[in-house]
Amino acid sequence: NALIIAEQRSFHLLRGSGIFPTLAKILKGNPPCAVRAAHVLSEIAKNEEMKTPCIEADLVPTLIPLLESTDQEMLLHAGRAIGRICYDNRGLQEELVRVGVIPSLVRILTDYAESEPLVHVALLALYNLADLDSAKEALSMTKVAEQLVEQLRRAESHERLEMVFEVLQALAENDALKVQLVDAGVPEVLSEILLRLQGSSQAEDTCIVKAASDLIVSLLLGGKKGNITGQVHKESTSRSLFSRGVAISVDGNCLRMFQLGVIHQLLDVLEKHVRSGDTSVQQAALSALQSLAVPVVSKVQMLEEGVAERIEALLWSESPPVQFKLLGTLRMLADGQADAAEILGQDPLLLNRLVQWCSVSDHSGICGEANRLLASILHHNRSQEVVKAIQAAQGVKHLISMTTSEHAAMQNEALNALAIASAIDLGICLLKELICARSSLVQSLHKLLRDDNTSPEVKYNSMGLLCRLLNSVNKASCSQFENNWLMSANKHDNFVPAKAFPLAKPSNTT
């Protein structure tokens, strides 16, 4: 307490002494003493209470020109003072960017790459500014990517690596900077780091491996990482990103990662940490693999490398985040790939585990993702055996329930999967399950068609499923289905029989 009281008294005396205007005058007009003045100011600014008088005395605008100095000691103290005064002050940080501090920071990284203290000051400043859109725009006009790659290669401490990764992670959210980072060789350095650290069990190395995996995700897809419930929205955003033809070539980046051997390094890291039980690294590695699996060309290569089989070791993980990432990665691999869907769809352990997860009530994200993977396997396969295996695992009832999801994307996935299943010559087994009186499918489809809030696409797919079912069964089964449908809908005046709808594509207006 006595020390705190003494410090507060010292701060009060400093504020009343007029030292801040004096320091400003020295910085402006007394070059021989300016370095010492900057040093004093950097020490004073360590204290939160001293930031306000520094700002009131306009010391920040006075310090900024000193960043153009060739005196390394001046650069060190001026940089520290600016960083401490402006820390956690968005208004001042925006002003720093506006008056041109970004080129000065990049110049320090370029000209003094071997000076540990100066590099630390510049990286710390970039870390604090990198979240600003204005800073990202300014950085895209510089060669910061090349300098950050150089610092990644030179970094000897975990602290330095972590700081560079933090800056890269923030910059990778910008499309122009993302291209520059890839062109500057960030994937190559990430590959080297993963290869060097994949066998280590040290906690510090584990953190670096996780950071490298997270950065791979950002370089491939970009955007901030979402949570479990936001996955559907994230995917639609990613697809929109690709369809708009953003400058970055995601396919090219994925191929580059493959050529560098990143896929094998991630799998080795994943298997090692499955044994050690480190779930944070498991999540990061799975996220990277999921991002690599987005382009079609990558799916093919990953399947040939046996990725699906290798990551199934996580099926019995008790960590919900790992379970969620695993499901998302497998679904991305199966998307549009009949071979992958057939492999996954005939794995009884996987199907039984999926059905278990489809019933999880305390983790809605896992339940939804398990249903989506089940639907994807059924949708993309063309094998009778897969449909029979899913039916044997009692997965059909979960797909029927999925048609009532609050998300239109999930409704469509379930409807498409059921329609494809009904179109494959299975015998009567699956169809009986779909049309039996106890099934809720009739009621679900009826509700979707009557609800004004149902999207046109969902209504179209609902009618498509009805037509496929009606065309797939024999006459007796067809009559049974129609009777069930009509009985459930008879009490509604506006009901239109399903067979009145033609199986045609919706118009552009819908």
Side-chain angles (χ1 to χ4, degrees):
N1 289 338
L3 181 60
I4 294 174
I5 292 173
E7 285 182 350
Q8 290 177 344
R9 178 174 173 77
S10 298
F11 297 149
H12 179 73
L13 291 173
L14 279 173
R15 294 192 68 167
S17 68
I19 188 174
F20 297 104
T22 300
L23 287 172
K25 290 180 181 178
I26 294 173
L27 290 170
K28 289 178 180 177
N30 193 340
C33 298
V35 173
R36 297 301 171 212
H39 188 187
V40 170
L41 191 54
S42 70
E43 293 300 316
I44 291 175
K46 284 182 178 179
N47 190 278
E48 189 71 28
E49 295 184 19
M50 290 291 97
K51 292 181 181 180
T52 300
C54 289
I55 295 169
E56 292 173 347
D58 287 332
L59 284 169
V60 174
T62 303
L63 286 164
I64 289 174
L66 301 179
L67 293 179
E68 296 302 316
S69 171
T70 56
D71 185 317
Q72 293 190 37
E73 192 176 2
M74 172 63 82
L75 290 173
L76 179 63
H77 297 313
R80 284 175 174 171
I82 293 171
R84 289 166 182 170
I85 295 171
C86 297
Y87 178 73
D88 205 24
N89 186 321
R90 193 174 184 87
L92 279 177
Q93 291 173 346
E94 291 280 10
E95 180 64 16
L96 287 177
V97 176
R98 191 187 67 79
V99 298
V101 76
I102 293 296
S104 298
L105 295 174
V106 176
R107 183 186 70 84
I108 291 173
L109 285 178
T110 305
D111 295 347
Y112 305 101
E114 298 181 6
S115 172
E116 200 69 16
L118 281 177
V119 167
H120 181 81
V121 167
L123 287 175
L124 190 59
L126 289 175
Y127 170 72
N128 289 325
L129 296 173
D131 283 335
L132 302 177
D133 290 338
S134 57
K136 291 187 180 76
E137 184 177 351
L139 284 165
S140 69
M141 306 297 178
T142 70
K143 294 185 178 181
V144 68
E146 297 175 9
Q147 300 310 317
L148 291 174
V149 168
E150 176 66 19
Q151 290 305 317
L152 268 184
R153 295 187 186 279
R154 298 176 61 89
E156 297 180 355
S157 68
H158 291 93
E159 292 76 10
R160 175 57 50 82
L161 274 173
E162 288 175 5
M163 184 178 292
V164 178
F165 273 130
E166 290 284 356
V167 176
L168 289 170
Q169 187 70 53
L171 299 188
E173 294 173 11
N174 179 277
D175 291 324
L177 283 168
K178 195 186 308 180
V179 173
Q180 294 178 23
L181 293 175
V182 172
D183 290 344
V186 171
E188 285 82 353
V189 182
L190 292 179
S191 176
E192 294 169 8
I193 291 172
L194 287 173
L195 187 62
R196 186 173 76 244
L197 301 181
Q198 66 183 18
S200 173
S201 57
Q202 295 183 17
E204 295 88 348
D205 291 339
T206 297
C207 291
I208 298 302
V209 169
K210 181 180 182 302
S213 301
D214 287 340
L215 185 54
I216 288 172
V217 175
S218 295
L219 290 176
L220 292 173
L221 289 182
K224 297 181 179 178
K225 294 185 287 297
N227 54 30
I228 286 180
T229 57
Q231 186 70 10
V232 174
H233 173 70
K234 177 183 175 183
E235 287 174 6
S236 64
T237 301
S238 296
R239 290 183 182 127
S240 175
L241 179 75
F242 300 142
S243 67
R244 289 198 304 268
V246 175
I248 183 170
S249 171
V250 176
D251 287 24
N253 287 352
C254 285
L255 288 174
R256 189 167 180 172
M257 296 282 189
F258 274 112
Q259 292 167 357
L260 293 169
V262 169
I263 181 69
H264 294 291
Q265 292 156 18
L266 287 171
L267 287 170
D268 291 342
V269 166
L270 183 61
E271 290 176 347
K272 175 184 180 299
H273 289 281
V274 167
R275 294 191 295 272
S276 69
D278 191 321
T279 58
S280 64
V281 176
Q282 292 173 30
Q283 292 176 59
L286 284 170
S287 292
L289 289 170
Q290 183 176 356
S291 300
L292 283 165
V294 173
V296 173
V297 64
S298 297
K299 299 180 198 293
V300 175
Q301 292 194 33
M302 291 177 77
L303 289 170
E304 292 175 352
E305 298 289 345
V307 171
E309 293 85 348
R310 290 182 70 176
I311 66 176
E312 281 188 17
L314 289 168
L315 278 175
W316 306 106
S317 171
E318 297 299 325
S319 167
V322 171
Q323 294 169 356
F324 181 76
K325 290 291 185 185
L326 172 65
L327 290 167
T329 304
L330 289 172
R331 185 165 60 82
M332 192 62 72
L333 282 171
D335 186 24
Q337 298 300 307
D339 290 343
E342 188 167 349
I343 292 171
L344 298 175
Q346 295 188 71
D347 185 334
L349 289 178
L350 171 62
L351 292 180
N352 289 331
R353 189 62 167 148
L354 283 183
V355 170
Q356 290 177 22
W357 279 331
C358 285
S359 304
V360 174
S361 58
D362 52 344
H363 292 291
S364 60
I366 293 172
C367 177
E369 197 66 19
N371 275 286
R372 298 187 76 193
L373 176 54
L374 201 60
S376 182
I377 291 172
L378 200 52
H379 182 187
H380 296 293
N381 105 95
R382 295 295 181 270
S383 168
Q384 276 191 22
E385 299 306 316
V386 170
V387 185
K388 289 178 179 178
I390 290 176
Q391 183 203 5
Q394 299 184 356
V396 174
K397 63 181 180 182
H398 295 292
L399 295 176
I400 293 173
S401 298
M402 187 177 165
T403 62
T404 63
S405 168
E406 61 180 323
H407 300 292
M410 293 181 67
Q411 291 176 342
N412 277 323
E413 289 167 10
L415 292 167
N416 286 330
L418 291 170
I420 287 174
S422 69
I424 297 175
D425 183 14
L426 304 172
I428 202 65
C429 297
L430 177 59
L431 294 167
K432 278 185 176 179
E433 183 169 354
L434 292 176
I435 66 177
C436 70
R438 295 187 302 275
S439 171
S440 61
L441 181 60
V442 171
Q443 290 85 350
S444 297
L445 293 176
H446 183 211
K447 181 179 178 181
L448 289 173
L449 289 172
R450 289 189 65 249
D451 191 344
D452 291 338
N453 294 321
T454 301
S455 70
E457 186 180 5
V458 171
K459 287 189 176 183
Y460 170 71
N461 286 328
S462 298
M463 292 185 285
L465 174 56
L466 285 173
C467 291
R468 285 185 182 277
L469 287 172
L470 290 169
N471 290 331
S472 297
V473 295
N474 58 36
K475 186 174 181 180
S477 297
C478 183
S479 298
Q480 181 185 357
F481 183 88
E482 287 186 273
N483 288 338
N484 287 338
W485 174 262
L486 292 171
M487 286 175 63
S488 70
N490 188 43
K491 56 185 178 181
H492 300 288
D493 295 336
N494 296 328
F495 172 70
V496 179
K499 60 185 178 181
F501 294 106
L503 185 56
K505 294 183 179 180
S507 64
N508 292 334
T509 59
T510 60

